[in-house]
C-alpha cells in the first residue's frame, strides 16, 4: 500500500460490535464515514488482496488512519453515521446537499390573521401548514388561496399603515380588514374555511359555503349569496383540477435514475390522494459508486432530516430494490419511533404515481447530462481559441455596480466545468473610495479576493473583468503582485460592451499584452464568456439594489444619536415606514413606544436638518 497505515495491526484491535467508522487521509481530513453491524468484519473487507470496486481501491489508497465509535445497535449506528456525514461531508460518501429548511404557509395569530410564506425557525405565533417541497409550491398555493379566500397576505408594516383599501381589495382578493371593510366575525369565518382547505378538507369547505349561501338567500341577502356562489364555483374547479385519484392515503413516491455518474431522486408528496408537491434531488456521487449505495445513502440522509421527521408518511414507494432495504426500514422506524413501510412492488394508483416519478427522474438526468456535455464542449472550444496548454477548471468574473456612486458593490461569480458554481459566488461592499471611481472599486475587490492566497487556494485559470482597458490594467497589476509567489497565475480577459451596448457585439482584451481577442458571436466559446459576464452583472446589480434599499431605509435613523435598533424598529412599525417617520410631528413621534419628548424633539430636528 502507498500509505503508512498498518491495516493488519489495526484490525487486530477492532471490535465485532456494531458502530461507525471514520477514515482519514494524510491531511487528517475525514474522507469516508460508514456504519456496520460488525465493525471487524466490515473493515476487514476493505483490505482484501483483490478489491473489485475502483472507488474502494481509491479510498483505501488514501487511508492514513481509521477511528471507530461503538454503538449499542445498528439503528444507533445509522443515526450516528448520518450525523457524521452532515458534519464532515466526506468526499467518498454520497452526499445529499440539502441544508435549506423546508418552506411552510403561516396563518398568523393576529387579530386579522394573514397568510404568509415562511422558512426557518417557527418563532411567530400562528398555524404552520407544510412543509412544502419547495418555495414555488408555497407561492403557487398562496396565489391560489388569494383567489379563493379574501384573507390578507400583506406584511404587518403595510397593513398597519393603510388608510384606504389597496388594489387587492379592488381585485376581490382581500376583504380589507385593515380599514374595517369587513366585520371581524365574517373575516374569521373565512380564516376557518382557509384552515380547512389547507388541511385538504375541500368538500367540508364547500358544504359549509353551500349552507351559508342558502341561508343568505333565504334572508334575501342576495349579494352575499352571490359571493358565496362564486366562491363555491371557484373551489369546485380547484378540487376537480387537483383530484388525481380516489385514493385517500398519504405517501412519498420516489423515482430514481442513475446514469453516467449523475443521480436524480424525484420525490412526489402525496397527501389525501393528491400531489401536494414534488422535488428533484441530485446527490453528489463519488466516481464508480454502485446504485445500491446511492439508494441507501439518499434514503438514510433524507429521512433522518430533523425538519421533515414529523411529516413522514407511513408509506414510501420506491422505484428500486436494494440489499439493505429492510434493514434501513427497521432502523428508520426505530429512530423515528413510528411505523414505516417501504414498498417497491406496487399496483394500481400507486404504480401510476411511481411511473410518473420515474419519468421525471429519467428526464432530469438526461437534461443534466446534456447540459454538462454542452458546457464541457464550450470549455474545450475556449481552450482551443485561447491556445491554452492547460485545462480550464475554474473561471471567475468581476463586475462593479452602483448608482451615481451610491452603494457600490462588486461581484465575483465562479464557473467550473459543470457551469455556474454558486457556492463560491461572493459580493464585496466597496467603501473608502471616491464615489463613482470604478478603477478604485475594482482594485479593492480584486485585492480582497487575492489577499493571503496561497498555493492551496482556489486560483482561477481565467479571470474575466467586466470593463474596459482601465479596469483590466488595475486588475492585472493587483494579480501580478498577489500571485508572484505562486507557480500559476490566472489569465486576465477584459470584456467590453459592444457598440450601443448591444448583445453579441462584445469585444475581449487579453491582459498583459492588451491585444484584442476576437471570436464569432455564434461560437459556443463566445457564448460561454458572455454567459459568465452576464451572470456577474446580474449578481452585482442584485447586491447593489439590496444595499441601496437598505441604506435608504435606515441610514437617516442610524445617524441619530440614541436611536438604536429597537427604537428604529418601533418607529418604522408604529408609523408605517421611513417616509412617514420623516413627515411625523413631535406629537406623533411621542406616541411611539420608547420615544420620550426629548428624543422625539431630537429625531424631529435631525430629520428636518437632513
Amino acid at each position: 500500500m502507498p500509505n503508512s497505515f498498518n491495516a493488519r495491526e489495526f484490525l487486530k484491535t477492532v471490535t465485532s460490535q456494531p458502530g461507525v467508522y471514520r477514515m482519514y487521509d494524510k491531511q487528517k481530513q475525514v474522507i469516508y464515514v460508514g456504519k456496520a453491524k460488525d465493525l471487524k468484519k466490515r473493515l476487514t473487507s476493505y483490505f482484501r488482496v483483490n478489491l473489485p470496486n475502483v472507488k474502494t481501491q481509491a479510498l483505501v489508497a488514501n487511508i492514513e488512519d481509521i477511528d471507530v465509535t461503538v454503538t449499542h445497535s445498528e439503528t444507533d449506528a445509522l443515526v450516528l453515521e448520518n450525523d457524521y456525514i452532515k458534519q464532515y461531508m466526506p468526499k467518498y460518501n454520497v452526499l445529499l446537499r440539502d441544508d435549506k429548511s423546508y418552506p411552510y404557509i403561516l396563518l398568523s395569530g393576529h387579530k386579522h390573521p394573514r397568510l404568509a410564506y415562511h422558512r426557518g425557525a417557527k418563532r411567530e405565533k400562528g398555524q404552520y401548514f407544510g412543509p412544502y417541497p419547495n418555495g414555488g409550491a408555497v407561492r403557487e398555493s398562496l396565489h391560489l388561496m388569494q383567489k379563493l379566500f379574501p384573507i390578507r397576505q400583506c406584511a404587518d408594516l403595510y397593513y398597519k399603515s393603510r388608510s384606504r383599501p389597496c388594489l387587492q381589495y379592488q381585485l376581490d382578493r382581500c376583504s380589507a380588514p385593515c380599514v374595517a371593510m369587513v366585520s371581524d366575525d365574517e373575516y374569521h369565518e373565512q380564516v376557518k374555511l382557509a384552515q380547512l382547505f389547507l388541511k385538504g378538507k375541500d368538500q367540508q369547505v364547500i358544504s359549509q359555503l353551500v349552507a351559508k349561501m342558502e341561508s343568505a338567500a333565504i334572508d334575501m341577502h342576495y349579494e352575499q349569496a352571490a359571493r358565496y356562489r362564486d366562491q363555491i364555483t371557484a373551489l369546485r374547479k380547484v378540487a376537480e383540477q387537483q383530484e388525481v385519484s380516489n385514493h385517500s392515503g398519504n405517501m412519498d413516491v420516489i423515482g430514481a435514475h442513475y446514469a453516467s455518474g449523475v443521480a436524480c431522486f424525484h420525490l412526489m408528496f402525496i397527501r389525501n390522494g393528491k400531489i401536494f408537491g414534488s422535488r428533484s434531488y441530485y446527490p453528489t456521487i463519488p466516481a464508480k459508486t454502485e446504485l445500491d449505495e446511492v439508494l441507501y445513502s439518499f434514503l438514510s440522509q433524507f429521512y433522518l432530516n430533523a425538519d421533515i421527521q414529523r411529516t413522514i408518511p407511513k408509506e414510501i414507494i420506491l422505484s428500486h430494490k436494494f440489499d439493505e432495504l429492510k434493514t434501513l426500514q427497521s432502523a428508520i422506524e426505530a429512530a423515528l419511533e413510528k411505523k414505516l413501510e417501504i414498498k417497491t412492488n406496487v399496483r394500481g394508483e400507486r404504480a401510476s404515481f411511481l411511473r410518473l416519478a420515474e419519468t421525471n427522474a429519467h428526464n432530469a438526468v438526461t437534461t443534466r447530462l446534456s447540459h454538462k456535455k454542452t458546457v464541457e464542449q464550450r470549455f474545450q472550444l475556449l481552450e482551443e481559441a485561447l491556445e491554452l496548454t492547460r485545462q480550464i477548471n475554474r473561471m471567475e468574473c468581476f463586475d462593479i455596480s452602483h448608482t451615481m456612486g451610491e452603494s457600490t458593490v462588486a461581484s465575483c461569480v465562479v464557473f467550473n466545468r459543470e457551469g455556474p458554481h454558486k457556492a463560491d459566488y461572493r459580493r464585496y461592499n466597496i467603501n473608502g473610495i471616491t464615489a463613482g471611481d470604478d478603477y478604485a472599486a475594482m482594485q479593492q475587490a480584486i485585492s480582497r479576493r487575492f489577499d493571503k492566497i496561497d498555493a492551496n487556494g482556489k486560483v482561477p485559470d481565467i479571470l474575466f473583468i467586466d470593463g474596459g482597458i482601465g479596469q483590466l490594467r488595475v486588475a492585472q497589476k493587483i494579480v501580478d503582485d498577489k500571485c508572484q509567489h505562486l507557480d500559476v497565475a490566472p489569465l486576465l480577459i477584459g470584456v467590453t460592451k459592444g457598440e450601443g451596448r448591444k448583445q453579441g457585439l462584445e469585444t475581449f482584451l487579453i491582459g498583459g499584452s492588451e491585444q484584442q481577442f476576437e471570436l464569432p458571436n455564434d461560437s459556443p466559446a463566445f457564448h460561454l464568456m458572455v454567459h459568465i459576464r452576464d451572470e456577474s452583472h446580474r449578481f452585482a446589480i442584485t447586491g447593489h439594489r439590496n444595499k441601496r434599499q437598505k441604506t435608504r431605509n435606515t441610514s437617516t435613523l442610524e445617524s441619530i444619536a440614541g436611536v438604536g435598533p429597537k427604537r428604529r424598529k418601533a418607529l418604522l412599525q408604529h408609523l408605517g415606514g421611513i417616509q412617514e417617520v420623516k413627515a411625523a410631528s413631535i406629537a406623533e413621534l411621542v406616541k411611539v413606544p420608547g420615544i420620550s419628548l426629548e428624543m422625539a424633539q431630537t429625531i424631529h430636528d435631525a430629520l428636518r436638518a437632513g
Side-chain angles (χ1 to χ4, degrees):
M1 291 177 64
N3 52 35
S4 59
F5 180 68
N6 191 327
R8 182 173 296 179
E9 289 299 317
F10 169 76
L11 291 171
K12 287 179 181 178
T13 62
V14 176
T15 178
S16 295
Q17 293 178 273
V20 176
Y21 53 92
R22 288 171 288 178
M23 295 176 170
Y24 297 82
D25 62 9
K26 290 181 180 179
Q27 285 74 43
K28 305 299 181 185
Q29 297 291 318
V30 177
I31 57 175
Y32 189 75
V33 172
K35 65 118 181 121
K37 188 176 183 179
D38 183 328
L39 282 167
K40 189 179 187 72
K41 187 176 180 181
R42 175 64 60 84
L43 287 168
T44 301
S45 70
Y46 285 99
F47 300 100
R48 289 176 293 174
V49 177
N50 295 316
L51 287 170
N53 191 296
V54 177
K55 175 199 166 186
T56 308
Q57 292 173 7
L59 169 63
V60 172
N62 285 286
I63 295 174
E64 190 67 21
D65 194 13
I66 299 178
D67 181 20
V68 299
T69 303
V70 176
T71 59
H72 293 297
S73 65
E74 191 176 7
T75 299
D76 292 341
L78 172 68
V79 175
L80 183 59
E81 177 197 34
N82 183 59
D83 291 340
Y84 278 158
I85 289 173
K86 287 180 181 178
Q87 180 180 346
Y88 297 111
M89 291 299 214
K91 67 178 182 179
Y92 286 102
N93 281 94
V94 176
L95 300 176
L96 176 60
R97 297 181 182 272
D98 183 38
D99 53 356
K100 286 186 177 179
S101 58
Y102 286 80
Y104 289 78
I105 287 179
L106 166 65
L107 186 62
S108 70
H110 295 98
K111 177 184 177 183
H112 297 129
R114 73 183 181 109
L115 282 167
Y117 176 101
H118 178 87
R119 191 193 286 272
K122 302 181 181 68
R123 296 190 182 94
E124 189 173 346
K125 292 182 179 179
Q127 283 185 278
Y128 293 87
F129 298 91
Y132 284 76
N134 52 54
V138 174
R139 293 186 181 93
E140 186 179 334
S141 296
L142 285 172
H143 185 66
L144 174 64
M145 295 288 290
Q146 207 167 34
K147 295 178 180 179
L148 298 175
F149 307 100
I151 299 172
R152 74 178 183 97
Q153 294 190 16
C154 59
D156 292 341
L157 278 176
Y158 188 79
Y159 166 75
K160 291 176 181 176
S161 64
R162 296 305 301 174
S163 58
R164 58 180 180 176
C166 67
L167 181 61
Q168 296 300 325
Y169 175 77
Q170 307 297 332
L171 295 172
D172 292 329
R173 295 188 174 184
C174 180
S175 52
C178 52
V179 289
M181 298 298 288
V182 61
S183 69
D184 290 351
D185 289 342
E186 190 175 345
Y187 186 83
H188 283 287
E189 281 183 7
Q190 289 295 324
V191 169
K192 289 176 183 176
L193 292 173
Q195 287 174 334
L196 290 172
F197 181 80
L198 285 168
K199 292 175 181 177
K201 299 178 180 178
D202 308 14
Q203 295 305 317
Q204 191 173 336
V205 175
I206 291 173
S207 298
Q208 290 191 23
L209 285 172
V210 168
K212 290 178 181 293
M213 179 184 69
E214 292 174 348
S215 176
I218 291 170
D219 295 338
M220 292 187 289
H221 298 153
Y222 299 119
E223 289 186 7
Q224 190 176 22
R227 285 198 296 271
Y228 286 134
R229 178 203 61 203
D230 294 342
Q231 198 172 8
I232 292 165
T233 302
L235 271 165
R236 280 182 171 150
K237 284 182 180 178
V238 169
E240 288 169 6
Q241 291 167 1
Q242 288 187 336
E243 194 68 48
V244 295
S245 74
N246 294 322
H247 182 67
S248 59
N250 297 330
M251 69 186 87
D252 285 355
V253 181
I254 306 174
H257 189 68
Y258 181 38
S260 303
V262 175
C264 175
F265 292 88
H266 187 80
L267 269 71
M268 290 169 49
F269 300 81
I270 312 300
R271 302 295 183 265
N272 296 314
K274 300 171 188 174
I275 300 177
F276 190 64
S278 62
R279 182 173 178 177
S280 291
Y281 293 86
Y282 304 92
T284 302
I285 312 292
K288 307 296 182 183
T289 303
E290 300 293 334
L291 177 60
D292 279 18
E293 184 180 348
V294 177
L295 290 165
Y296 162 79
S297 299
F298 175 79
L299 289 173
S300 59
Q301 290 180 48
F302 183 80
Y303 283 106
L304 290 174
N305 184 326
D307 195 44
I308 65 165
Q309 285 180 11
R310 289 175 292 116
T311 59
I312 295 176
K314 294 181 179 180
E315 192 174 9
I316 297 171
I317 311 299
L318 182 63
S319 59
H320 293 73
K321 285 184 178 180
F322 59 96
D323 291 342
E324 291 193 84
L325 183 60
K326 290 299 180 184
T327 303
L328 179 63
Q329 176 181 314
S330 301
I332 295 176
E333 281 182 331
L336 303 182
E337 297 181 349
K338 63 186 295 184
K339 190 70 176 174
L340 179 73
E341 191 172 6
I342 303 177
K343 298 178 180 178
T344 56
N345 188 15
V346 292
R347 294 180 295 178
E349 293 163 347
R350 290 176 175 80
S352 298
F353 283 132
L354 188 57
R355 281 195 297 272
L356 183 58
E358 286 184 283
T359 300
N360 278 280
H362 187 278
N363 290 342
V365 170
T366 303
T367 301
R368 180 158 285 211
L369 286 172
S370 175
H371 172 72
K372 286 179 70 175
K373 185 177 179 182
T374 302
V375 173
E376 179 69 24
Q377 288 174 343
R378 289 181 175 184
F379 268 80
Q380 290 174 356
L381 289 169
L382 182 57
E383 289 164 357
E384 292 174 11
L386 293 170
E387 298 180 355
L388 297 178
T389 57
R390 67 179 190 270
Q391 188 180 67
I392 302 171
N393 293 310
R394 181 184 177 93
M395 303 192 309
E396 297 181 8
C397 184
F398 278 80
D399 188 22
I400 306 294
S401 182
H402 59 80
T403 303
M404 303 292 287
E406 178 191 359
S407 302
T408 303
V409 171
S411 72
C412 172
V413 302
V414 180
F415 278 31
N416 59 23
R417 293 187 85 88
E418 293 184 357
H421 186 58
K422 296 189 177 182
D424 283 355
Y425 281 21
R426 295 291 182 270
R427 288 195 184 103
Y428 302 92
N429 290 322
I430 305 301
N431 300 303
I433 64 169
T434 303
D437 188 345
D438 285 355
Y439 297 160
M442 185 64 72
Q443 181 180 26
Q444 186 178 132
I446 299 289
S447 296
R448 288 167 62 182
R449 164 65 181 90
F450 284 88
D451 271 348
K452 301 177 182 178
I453 196 166
D454 56 26
N456 296 321
K458 296 177 180 178
V459 181
D461 299 297
I462 299 180
L463 183 64
F464 290 95
I465 304 297
D466 187 12
I469 194 168
Q471 285 97 328
L472 182 61
R473 286 173 177 171
V474 167
Q476 186 71 61
K477 186 176 184 303
I478 297 295
V479 170
D480 289 345
D481 180 51
K482 301 288 185 182
C483 295
Q484 59 183 342
H485 62 288
L486 302 178
D487 295 333
V488 294
L491 170 67
L492 268 70
I493 299 178
V495 185
T496 60
K497 297 174 179 66
E499 183 181 349
R501 304 172 71 90
K502 290 183 179 178
Q503 188 86 11
L505 299 180
E506 289 83 359
T507 56
F508 307 97
L509 292 171
I510 303 297
S513 66
E514 297 179 2
Q515 292 181 346
Q516 189 165 318
F517 170 66
E518 294 185 357
L519 276 175
N521 60 12
D522 61 348
S523 163
F526 180 92
H527 295 160
L528 178 62
M529 292 193 287
V530 171
H531 185 189
I532 193 171
R533 189 282 312 272
D534 290 347
E535 180 68 355
S536 178
H537 190 56
R538 178 199 66 78
F539 196 57
I541 286 177
T542 304
H544 160 64
R545 286 174 177 166
N546 292 341
K547 183 182 178 185
R548 183 183 63 190
Q549 189 63 38
K550 183 179 179 181
T551 301
R552 291 179 177 178
N553 282 348
T554 61
S555 62
T556 49
L557 292 177
E558 286 177 348
S559 62
I560 302 172
V563 180
K566 288 186 178 180
R567 280 178 172 161
R568 284 201 302 272
K569 183 178 180 182
L571 284 163
L572 293 169
Q573 283 189 339
H574 189 83
L575 295 170
I578 190 67
Q579 297 304 321
E580 286 76 10
V581 174
K582 288 180 177 179
S585 65
I586 294 175
E588 290 172 321
L589 291 169
V590 169
K591 295 178 182 178
V592 177
I595 304 297
S596 65
L597 179 60
E598 183 181 359
M599 179 55 66
Q601 185 69 57
T602 301
I603 295 169
H604 184 270
D605 294 345
L607 293 176
R608 294 301 183 281

